[in-house]
Coordinates of all heavy atoms in Angstrom, one line a residue:
H1179 N 77.0 117.4 69.1 CA 77.7 116.2 69.0 C 79.1 116.4 69.7 O 79.6 115.5 70.4 CB 77.9 115.7 67.6 CG 78.6 114.4 67.4 ND1 79.9 114.4 67.0 CD2 78.2 113.2 67.6 CE1 80.3 113.1 66.9 NE2 79.2 112.3 67.3
G1180 N 79.7 117.5 69.4 CA 81.0 117.8 70.0 C 80.9 118.0 71.5 O 81.8 117.5 72.3
E1181 N 79.8 118.6 72.0 CA 79.6 118.7 73.4 C 79.4 117.4 74.1 O 79.8 117.2 75.2 CB 78.3 119.6 73.7 CG 78.5 121.1 73.3 CD 79.5 121.7 74.3 OE1 79.5 121.4 75.5 OE2 80.3 122.6 73.8
I1182 N 78.7 116.5 73.4 CA 78.5 115.1 74.0 C 79.9 114.4 74.2 O 80.1 113.8 75.2 CB 77.6 114.3 73.0 CG1 76.2 114.7 73.1 CG2 77.7 112.8 73.4 CD1 75.2 114.0 72.2
K1183 N 80.8 114.6 73.2 CA 82.1 114.0 73.3 C 82.9 114.6 74.6 O 83.5 113.8 75.3 CB 82.9 114.2 72.1 CG 82.4 113.4 70.9 CD 83.3 113.7 69.7 CE 82.9 112.9 68.4 NZ 83.7 113.2 67.2
V1184 N 82.8 115.9 74.7 CA 83.4 116.5 75.9 C 82.8 116.0 77.2 O 83.5 115.7 78.2 CB 83.4 118.0 75.7 CG1 84.0 118.7 77.0 CG2 84.1 118.5 74.5
A1185 N 81.5 116.0 77.2 CA 80.8 115.5 78.4 C 81.2 114.1 78.8 O 81.4 113.7 79.9 CB 79.3 115.7 78.3
L1186 N 81.2 113.2 77.7 CA 81.6 111.8 78.0 C 83.1 111.7 78.5 O 83.3 110.9 79.4 CB 81.5 111.0 76.7 CG 80.1 110.7 76.2 CD1 80.2 110.0 74.8 CD2 79.4 109.8 77.2
Q1187 N 84.0 112.6 78.0 CA 85.3 112.6 78.5 C 85.4 113.0 80.0 O 86.1 112.5 80.8 CB 86.2 113.5 77.7 CG 87.7 113.5 78.1 CD 88.3 112.1 78.0 OE1 88.1 111.3 77.0 NE2 89.0 111.7 79.0
E1188 N 84.6 114.1 80.3 CA 84.5 114.5 81.7 C 84.0 113.4 82.6 O 84.5 113.3 83.8 CB 83.7 115.8 81.8 CG 84.3 117.0 81.2 CD 83.4 118.2 81.3 OE1 82.3 118.1 81.8 OE2 83.9 119.3 81.0
L1189 N 83.0 112.7 82.2 CA 82.4 111.6 83.0 C 83.4 110.5 83.2 O 83.5 109.9 84.2 CB 81.1 111.1 82.4 CG 79.9 112.0 82.4 CD1 78.7 111.4 81.6 CD2 79.5 112.2 83.9
R1190 N 84.2 110.2 82.1 CA 85.2 109.2 82.2 C 86.3 109.6 83.2 O 86.8 108.8 84.1 CB 85.9 108.9 80.9 CG 85.0 108.2 79.9 CD 85.9 107.8 78.7 NE 85.0 107.3 77.6 CZ 84.7 108.0 76.5 NH1 85.2 109.3 76.4 NH2 83.9 107.5 75.6
D1191 N 86.7 110.9 83.2 CA 87.7 111.4 84.1 C 87.1 111.3 85.6 O 87.9 111.0 86.5 CB 88.1 112.9 83.8 CG 88.8 112.9 82.5 OD1 89.4 111.9 82.0 OD2 88.9 114.0 81.9
L1192 N 85.9 111.7 85.7 CA 85.3 111.6 87.0 C 85.2 110.2 87.5 O 85.5 109.9 88.7 CB 83.9 112.2 87.0 CG 83.1 112.3 88.3 CD1 83.9 113.1 89.3 CD2 81.7 112.8 88.1
A1193 N 84.8 109.2 86.7 CA 84.8 107.8 87.1 C 86.2 107.3 87.4 O 86.3 106.6 88.4 CB 84.2 107.0 85.9
R1194 N 87.2 107.8 86.7 CA 88.5 107.4 86.9 C 89.0 107.9 88.3 O 89.7 107.2 89.0 CB 89.5 107.9 85.9 CG 90.9 107.4 86.0 CD 91.9 108.0 85.0 NE 91.5 107.6 83.6 CZ 91.1 108.5 82.7 NH1 91.0 109.8 83.0 NH2 90.7 108.1 81.5
G1195 N 88.5 109.1 88.7 CA 88.8 109.6 90.0 C 88.1 108.9 91.1 O 88.6 108.9 92.2

Side-chain angles (χ1 to χ4, degrees):
H1179 184 256
E1181 290 291 322
I1182 288 176
K1183 292 181 178 179
V1184 176
L1186 286 174
Q1187 184 59 44
E1188 289 181 352
L1189 289 173
R1190 289 193 191 98
D1191 293 340
L1192 182 60
R1194 188 184 297 116

